[in-house]
Amino acid sequence: MGFKEILPSEIEKESFRIIRKELAEAGKVIPKDAEPTVVRVIHTTADFEYADTLEFSEGVIEKAKSAIRSGAHIVTDTNMALAGINKKTLAGYGGEVHCFMADEEVAKLAKERGVTRAYVSMEKAIEINAPLIFAIGNAPTALASLNRLWQEKGFRPELIIAVPVGFVNVVEGKDLIRNMDVPYIINAGRKGGSGVAAAICNSILYNM
């Protein structure tokens, strides 16, 4: 099969067409509200396993859209995810994207306490005076921190996107979120990453 000439503006559309076609051929039936998110994650990763492993709490997409319309801010655990989230679209609803991993105060406190910067950055994030969505693609310790804040302080974010990638505490961290009384989008198992976290955010923003 030869290399196809295709207009740059048509590449994403053609990718989505191929993904939907292959999902249909594989007999995958994805709930209507979750479908744009699953398709965009597969587009980002070229990995069809996400059709089976992405988990959505009840009504989470509409809850996320409502939070964004109410001016929700998004907090990530990597600057890579921050770079990938469409800040212009979010700003149209009054929101901003934050990552505190490079914050000097966060680094200092993390060192003093013997915990990760991701853990402390979640504590800093809850000081933001706005509804909050967390997009975690790298650090399970961020999920542990959010779980502790929920248990000890009653902190309840609008949404937790729990898709860290890796081998240490990744599955366990996702389990912590699954057992919290908060809206979530989780990818089961070890897969995920900053690109996946950003793709999930964008799938919601682009379908407002």
Side-chain angles (χ1 to χ4, degrees), residues 17-38:
R17 183 193 69 77
I18 292 168
I19 292 164
R20 290 188 168 104
K21 176 173 174 284
E22 293 193 18
L23 285 170
E25 288 171 350
K28 302 292 184 188
V29 179
I30 299 165
K32 189 177 178 182
D33 58 342
E35 196 261 4
T37 298
V38 172

Side-chain angles (χ1 to χ4, degrees), residues 63-141:
K63 289 174 183 175
K65 289 178 180 178
S66 177
I68 290 166
R69 291 188 192 104
S70 299
H73 289 215
I74 297 174
V75 178
T76 83
D77 63 332
T78 67
N79 283 306
M80 187 182 295
L82 182 146
I85 295 167
N86 192 307
K87 290 170 278 297
K88 184 176 179 181
T89 302
L90 184 64
Y93 297 95
E96 298 175 27
V97 186
H98 307 268
C99 178
F100 299 113
M101 293 293 283
D103 184 275
E104 287 184 12
E105 182 189 5
V106 166
K108 180 172 175 286
L109 285 171
K111 188 174 182 180
E112 287 173 358
R113 291 165 55 188
V115 296
T116 67
R117 286 180 295 159
Y119 194 97
V120 177
S121 69
M122 298 299 106
E123 298 172 345
K124 184 173 178 65
I126 69 169
E127 298 170 6
I128 298 168
N129 186 25
L132 295 177
I133 291 171
F134 288 84
I136 308 303
N138 186 67
T141 53

Side-chain angles (χ1 to χ4, degrees), residues 124-205:
K124 184 173 178 65
I126 69 169
E127 298 170 6
I128 298 168
N129 186 25
L132 295 177
I133 291 171
F134 288 84
I136 308 303
N138 186 67
T141 53
L143 302 180
S145 183
L146 290 171
N147 180 265
R148 185 182 66 80
L149 291 166
W150 172 70
Q151 288 194 59
E152 295 183 3
K153 296 181 181 293
F155 172 65
R156 195 172 188 278
E158 304 299 316
L159 164 64
I160 298 176
I161 298 167
V163 292
V165 60
F167 298 94
V168 179
N169 283 329
V170 165
V171 172
E172 294 82 355
K174 293 170 182 177
D175 282 341
L176 289 175
I177 304 306
R178 196 179 281 111
N179 293 319
M180 289 167 61
D181 179 28
V182 298
Y184 65 73
I185 299 173
I186 292 171
N187 191 62
R190 294 169 167 177
K191 289 184 180 181
S194 298
V196 173
I200 292 170
C201 292
N202 289 338
S203 73
I204 297 166
L205 289 166

Side-chain angles (χ1 to χ4, degrees), residues 1-5:
M1 196 165 69
F3 192 91
K4 290 196 295 185
E5 293 295 336

